[in-house]
Amino acid sequence: MKVVLFSHSLLSDWNHGNAHFLRGVVAELLDRGHEVVGYEPRKGWSRVNLVADAGLKPLVDVRERFGWMDDVVRDYDLETLDLDHALDGAQLVVVHEWNAPELVARIGERRAAARGADFRLLFHDTHHRAVSAPEEMARYDLRHYDGVLAVGSLIRDVYLERGWCERAWTLHEAADARVFRPLAPNGRRRDDLVWIGNWGDGERSEELHEFLLAPAHRAKLRGAVNGVRYPARARVAIRMAGLRHRGWLANHRAPEVFAQHRVTVHVPRRPYVQALPGIPTIRPFEALACGIPLVSAPWEDCDGLFRAGQDYLVARDGAEMTRLLRDVLREPGLAMALRANGLERIAERHTCAHRVDELLAIHRSLGVGGRVFA
């Protein structure tokens, strides 16, 4: 089967966490013998900022790490994109929500012109804007789409209740098990705590102080913060907490960084906590897949993704986060149990292989031109 994916970027994960999951889905589809073509804007925001921040070398590195990139990724300019050529032979087309509304509409019109005879078309939403900025999402013309893949049940329900689509399915993010797996430390002394994540446009600045920086300071932990878009005041606060800010980290190198630390934390963005229960960021999936103990700030896992208290610990406030981090660092048995349980949960439910199974089942249920694809 030929699958065509329109995303913001597969090449760059600079402040673009969706790339992590999409790469894993592409790799899984390729391993199963499907043909995949991924289109991304030549001057996409993430790629432009990556080059400005770190030069061209990261783009070379990611192509080397993911050997399929050169065969899969196609750059385009919206003004000159030939959709007939891009969609030729496609049986499944997935359009991610970080695309221009104009492009989303054009692809839908192309789908309507085909009268359903050649491909099925799905819109993929992995963000919180359906709830936090519905006026933005209402701009997307999904009339000719066969349905929506939503990152959580609540987002799925929003699409259906607002009448933005007729069909929608929940497709949670997951860990790419080809990349995210336990690694042995490189021999140096491991530090205590690591946080991998971006500042978040002010969506979790208070939470990062309460659940990361203050606990690290109180417990006198050695460690690091990796991520981008940290303003000067945040970098100062990181230093005052006794941690080091190490800037952008290529996501495929996160397992190496996890291996050099003994515990990590999850601090979800405020929109996910307040308005989107059941939807974490992709970071818990990846951390648990690497076997590092995880302590999380509060979030409501109403979709039943993990087992709180078994796969990870939950801190209700900064004081409890301090205590739980100390417990994990001082009690080897607790750390080992969290590691084993988290790895088990990922292997059983939350790899990109699981999500591709779900995606292909959705595609089969739709059929194309009277045929059901394998």
Side-chain angles (χ1 to χ4, degrees):
M1 178 170 73
K2 181 176 180 180
V3 181
V4 178
L5 169 67
F6 290 86
S7 71
H8 178 69
S9 186
L10 291 171
L11 279 169
S12 173
D13 56 39
W14 195 97
N15 204 67
H16 174 46
N18 303 131
H20 313 180
F21 175 58
L22 296 175
R23 288 170 182 170
V25 169
V26 170
E28 182 66 26
L29 286 167
L30 292 171
D31 279 359
R32 298 188 189 194
H34 298 286
E35 178 185 356
V36 183
V37 181
Y39 285 90
E40 63 181 70
R42 191 183 315 276
K43 297 179 181 178
W45 179 87
S46 178
R47 195 199 304 191
V48 168
N49 279 279
L50 172 61
V51 172
D53 187 8
L56 292 172
K57 187 175 185 302
L59 296 179
V60 175
D61 292 344
V62 77
R63 288 178 184 275
E64 291 179 353
R65 176 60 182 83
F66 299 94
W68 47 263
M69 283 279 188
D70 285 338
D71 294 328
V72 167
V73 175
R74 306 284 187 275
D75 295 340
Y76 74 85
D77 296 307
L78 188 58
E79 298 76 15
T80 58
L81 176 62
D82 183 345
L83 273 184
D84 286 336
H85 174 73
L87 300 173
D88 183 44
Q91 292 161 297
L92 173 61
V93 178
V94 179
V95 183
H96 196 262
E97 97 271 1
W98 283 116
N99 277 289
E102 177 188 344
L103 176 64
V104 173
R106 283 177 57 192
I107 296 173
E109 291 164 2
R110 172 64 176 76
R111 166 76 171 82
R115 297 181 181 178
D118 52 359
F119 64 84
R120 285 302 188 188
L121 177 59
L122 297 172
F123 187 71
H124 185 206
D125 191 338
T126 57
H127 202 252
H128 57 66
R129 289 186 297 164
V131 171
S132 63
E135 68 285 352
E136 291 185 21
M137 300 311 295
R139 295 182 303 156
Y140 290 99
D141 181 358
L142 305 180
R143 288 175 298 167
H144 305 304
Y145 281 64
D146 293 295
V148 170
L149 305 171
V151 71
S153 299
L154 189 148
I155 296 293
R156 177 201 62 202
D157 293 345
V158 166
Y159 273 87
L160 295 172
E161 291 166 2
R162 290 180 176 269
W164 291 342
C165 66
E166 294 184 1
R167 287 173 291 211
W169 301 266
T170 300
L171 190 74
H172 288 289
E173 293 186 306
D176 181 359
R178 294 164 183 76
V179 176
F180 291 89
R181 62 192 190 281
L183 299 179
N186 67 7
R188 301 196 315 267
R189 172 188 171 184
R190 289 193 298 166
D191 280 345
D192 301 315
L193 172 68
V194 64
W195 155 260
I196 301 177
N198 302 320
W199 181 246
D201 300 316
E203 293 177 343
R204 59 179 167 206
S205 54
E206 294 176 11
E207 291 83 353
L208 285 173
H209 282 283
E210 179 177 3
F211 290 99
L212 174 65
L213 302 182
H217 178 70
R218 285 194 293 263
K220 296 181 173 56
L221 303 184
R222 293 164 45 94
V225 172
N226 293 270
V228 301
R229 304 187 77 188
Y230 284 78
R233 67 182 185 280
R235 296 194 298 271
V236 170
I238 290 169
R239 289 197 300 273
M240 294 294 291
L243 304 175
R244 300 178 303 282
H245 179 240
R246 289 180 169 169
W248 175 75
L249 174 73
N251 192 56
H252 61 269
R253 293 191 54 233
E256 304 167 23
V257 174
F258 282 139
Q260 292 305 126
H261 296 82
R262 299 170 61 199
V263 68
T264 189
V265 298
H266 173 226
V267 184
R269 295 171 187 248
R270 198 172 306 125
Y272 289 99
V273 175
Q274 295 178 345
L276 298 176
I279 304 174
T281 67
I282 198 170
R283 299 295 184 181
F285 296 102
E286 295 174 342
L288 296 181
C290 290
I292 185 170
L294 172 68
V295 185
S296 178
W299 67 284
E300 184 182 354
D301 186 8
C302 61
D303 280 5
L305 298 172
F306 305 110
R307 300 163 295 188
Q310 293 179 255
D311 304 327
Y312 69 100
L313 303 178
V314 180
R316 291 167 294 182
D317 53 35
E320 188 169 23
M321 176 64 79
T322 304
R323 179 178 64 80
L324 291 176
L325 289 173
R326 284 172 171 157
D327 288 348
V328 172
L329 293 170
R330 293 172 180 175
E331 300 177 22
L334 174 60
M336 289 177 63
L338 290 171
R339 172 187 172 93
N341 291 338
L343 286 169
E344 176 186 67
R345 193 66 164 185
I346 294 297
E348 288 179 348
R349 298 191 178 193
H350 299 310
T351 68
C352 287
H354 293 103
R355 300 301 180 260
V356 168
D357 287 341
E358 296 166 20
L359 174 62
L360 295 180
I362 291 167
H363 183 249
R364 287 194 297 269
S365 74
L366 293 169
V368 176
R371 294 174 292 154
V372 176
F373 290 109

